[in-house]
Amino acid sequence: MSNFRYKSVGELGDGLARKEFSATELLDDLVGLYERIEPQLNMFAHVDFGAARASAEASDRRIRRGERLGELDGIPTSIKDLIAVKDMPQRFGSRATSDAPVAADAPSVERLRMAGAVILGKSTTSEFGCKAVGDSPLTGITRNPWNPARTPGGSSAGAAAMVAAGVVPYAIGTDGGGSIRIPASLCGVFGIKAQFGRVPVFPTSATPTLAHVGPLARRVEDAALVLSVLSGFDRRDPATVSGPVPDFLAAARDERRLRIAWSPTLGYGRVDPEVSEITQKAVATIEAMGHDVQLVEHVMDDSIEMWTAEFYAGVGTRLRQVVLDTPELLDPAVLEVLTKALAQDMTAYYAKVFERHAFREKMRLMFENCDLLITPTLPVASFGVGLDLPPGHDDKSIVSWATFTYPFNLTGQPAASMPVGMTREGLPVGLQLVAASHDEAAIFALAGAYQRLTATKDIIRPEI
């Protein structure tokens, strides 16, 4: 039995600072938990517990000297296998990649190391982040800790599963079309992609105008703390936001009243009745908290064609030789969408680019009249492993079934998923919070207050 499972970053940090336990004791405890449940869930693409122990021992030495680096010092985490971690392979969930270790950390990993984080390894992803479920040809099926017969979602599959299972208090994922928010919803954790460019991305992503790096955590305040560490300008990524990093932790403790637009479908979604019921109840709670909530039935038309043209064109271009020479190495569903993307006419592609700019301006104008737009994160709760689409959504693509997440990668706005309830089968449901450009504080204010009121941080605990 783990002594530290489901503890928050703050709780673990306080214990380390008071020397109630050491960073190596914490690591050993959570490695023991990993060894027990990893065979059931398959959350990690790569582990290096030797390097993790060296980091934990360095944390213990700093703590003994009274020189702890901050709240993340000595606390274990993981990095999604789309992000570079020095001396670990970067496989992207694909058999078409090399297993050689990479030579340098991504900026987000550098910042975590500087904060004293203990990196256990790399978490699983769907192949090149191209699917919204949790399997890949390289690592196989990652499973949902609430029910191992169900998917955790993707593409940050392992990250969400291990946070939900209590193996780490937070993990780092990526989001190019919902890949943090989708598994956060299906696994019952909080996940946020901040403003595009808030967290630097390097080496350059295959989807450089859509890609975000961000945290998943069981506690809203933990995610705020981690995002503060990850954020800030980096010269290697010219898209990064310059200027001071907002105080996300203070925002998560704010009780301000917000103007909220509530859209049950965005105008085009088809939501399962139970998910609709749970999210409607959450919205009623939010309104009872004193926020000004206005129903907006139609926000937009489906933007999936704009998103598909951009996302898969980038990945397809990076993988063109694999698609042409060794297609058998790729997930068949991924191969299909990449082949179509590579066949795009340039004029048709750029028509979608200009549509995207018009769409972004439409959303900017909408947020002149509200602080947040809230929607169901997904139209469904978790469904069976091994499926690319939820039952009843066979008319959708491997991403379009997710319905509500990808529009806000096109705009770059901050967006998050927070857990708001459980289905009768015991599966989590998330509510998506979308803020105006650069206003992550509004998301943290609502999510923090909602979590304190409803105590979702305590009740969302799978017992695997």
Side-chain angles (χ1 to χ4, degrees):
M1 179 65 70
S2 169
N3 295 318
F4 302 110
R5 187 180 189 183
Y6 302 130
K7 297 292 186 184
S8 70
V9 169
E11 289 167 336
L12 294 173
D14 287 347
L16 288 169
R18 291 196 296 266
K19 301 179 184 176
E20 295 172 358
F21 52 85
S22 68
T24 50
E25 288 171 334
L26 171 59
L27 173 65
D28 289 344
D29 181 283
L30 294 180
V31 168
L33 176 61
Y34 154 87
E35 291 172 343
R36 181 171 71 79
I37 65 176
E38 172 68 3
Q40 300 172 68
L41 299 181
N42 187 31
M43 304 170 288
F44 281 86
H46 177 84
V47 294
D48 188 342
F49 294 145
R53 174 166 279 275
S55 294
E57 290 171 347
S59 293
D60 284 335
R61 289 193 292 272
R62 288 191 292 271
I63 291 167
R64 285 195 294 271
R65 296 194 302 265
E67 298 173 357
R68 189 163 182 252
L69 297 175
E71 288 298 315
L72 302 185
D73 198 352
I75 297 176
T77 190
S78 69
I79 310 296
K80 184 179 178 181
D81 197 25
L82 298 187
I83 303 171
V85 178
K86 184 180 179 182
D87 297 329
M88 293 187 190
Q90 186 179 13
R91 300 298 305 274
F92 301 90
S94 181
R95 296 177 296 177
T97 57
S98 168
D99 63 358
V102 300
D105 287 327
S108 52
V109 179
E110 286 181 351
R111 291 171 181 186
L112 289 171
R113 290 197 199 277
M114 290 176 63
V118 174
I119 297 172
L120 301 181
K122 308 292 290 292
S123 62
T124 58
T125 175
S126 60
E127 191 168 34
F128 292 98
C130 284
K131 293 200 305 188
V133 293
D135 62 75
S136 79
L138 181 69
T139 57
I141 291 173
T142 297
R143 298 173 183 272
N144 193 318
W146 290 99
N147 181 341
R150 304 297 183 98
T151 182
S155 62
S156 303
M162 68 180 69
V163 170
V167 176
V168 290
Y170 75 94
I172 306 302
T174 68
D175 192 314
S179 289
I180 287 172
R181 290 160 287 156
I182 293 164
S185 180
L186 297 187
C187 291
V189 301
F190 179 81
I192 184 168
K193 77 166 192 73
Q195 172 67 31
F196 179 75
R198 182 71 74 190
V199 179
V201 176
F202 189 83
T204 305
S205 168
T207 57
T209 69
L210 299 171
H212 301 65
V213 170
L216 300 98
R218 297 185 66 257
R219 310 288 181 102
V220 173
E221 289 190 359
D222 287 355
L225 176 64
V226 174
L227 184 59
S228 297
V229 171
L230 299 178
S231 297
F233 181 73
D234 188 293
R235 292 185 183 278
R236 292 167 292 183
D237 181 356
T240 43
V241 178
S242 61
V245 175
D247 190 339
F248 301 128
L249 191 57
R253 295 166 178 165
D254 194 351
E255 297 283 350
R256 64 183 165 124
R257 187 172 181 267
L258 298 163
R259 300 169 302 158
I260 296 172
W262 155 237
S263 187
T265 69
L266 284 182
Y268 61 87
R270 187 174 72 248
V271 182
D272 285 6
E274 193 172 11
V275 172
S276 180
E277 176 187 338
I278 291 167
T279 52
Q280 291 274 7
K281 183 178 178 181
V283 171
T285 299
I286 289 168
E287 191 164 21
M289 291 165 64
H291 300 293
D292 178 13
V293 179
Q294 300 295 325
L295 176 66
V296 182
E297 293 282 6
H298 188 277
V299 175
M300 63 181 74
D301 296 328
D302 195 351
S303 60
I304 188 61
E305 291 187 6
M306 280 186 278
W307 183 87
T308 297
E310 185 70 17
F311 187 92
Y312 291 123
V315 178
T317 300
R318 280 279 179 92
L319 295 179
R320 185 172 183 273
Q321 285 308 123
V322 176
V323 171
L324 295 176
D325 299 340
T326 53
E328 68 280 1
L329 293 178
L330 297 174
D331 182 323
V334 172
L335 175 64
E336 180 181 356
V337 295
L338 297 185
T339 301
K340 289 179 180 177
L342 287 172
Q344 285 186 98
D345 171 76
M346 184 178 292
T347 302
Y349 168 76
Y350 257 93
K352 294 291 186 294
V353 171
F354 290 124
E355 285 178 30
R356 179 182 177 185
H357 285 288
F359 174 60
R360 186 180 295 167
E361 176 63 6
K362 178 181 178 180
M363 289 297 98
R364 185 190 71 80
L365 292 172
M366 177 183 174
F367 278 84
E368 289 184 351
N369 298 308
C370 65
D371 301 305
L372 289 175
L373 167 66
I374 59 178
T375 76
T377 306
L378 296 173
V380 297
S382 184
F383 51 93
V385 296
L387 301 175
D388 290 333
L389 305 170
H393 293 257
D394 296 337
D395 57 327
K396 299 293 187 178
S397 75
I398 57 175
V399 167
S400 69
W401 70 263
T403 306
F404 303 122
T405 57
Y406 48 82
F408 306 106
N409 292 83
L410 291 167
T411 64
Q413 295 167 252
S417 179
M418 70 175 184
V420 293
M422 307 290 286
T423 68
R424 286 178 284 277
E425 287 188 88
L427 297 168
V429 170
L431 191 71
Q432 178 174 231
L433 316 179
V434 184
S437 176
H438 296 78
D439 191 15
E440 297 93 343
I443 290 175
F444 282 117
L446 180 60
Y450 185 91
Q451 189 171 80
R452 286 189 296 275
L453 177 68
T454 61
T456 52
K457 67 182 183 299
D458 298 316
I459 63 172
I460 305 292
R461 293 187 179 191
E463 293 302 326
I464 188 169

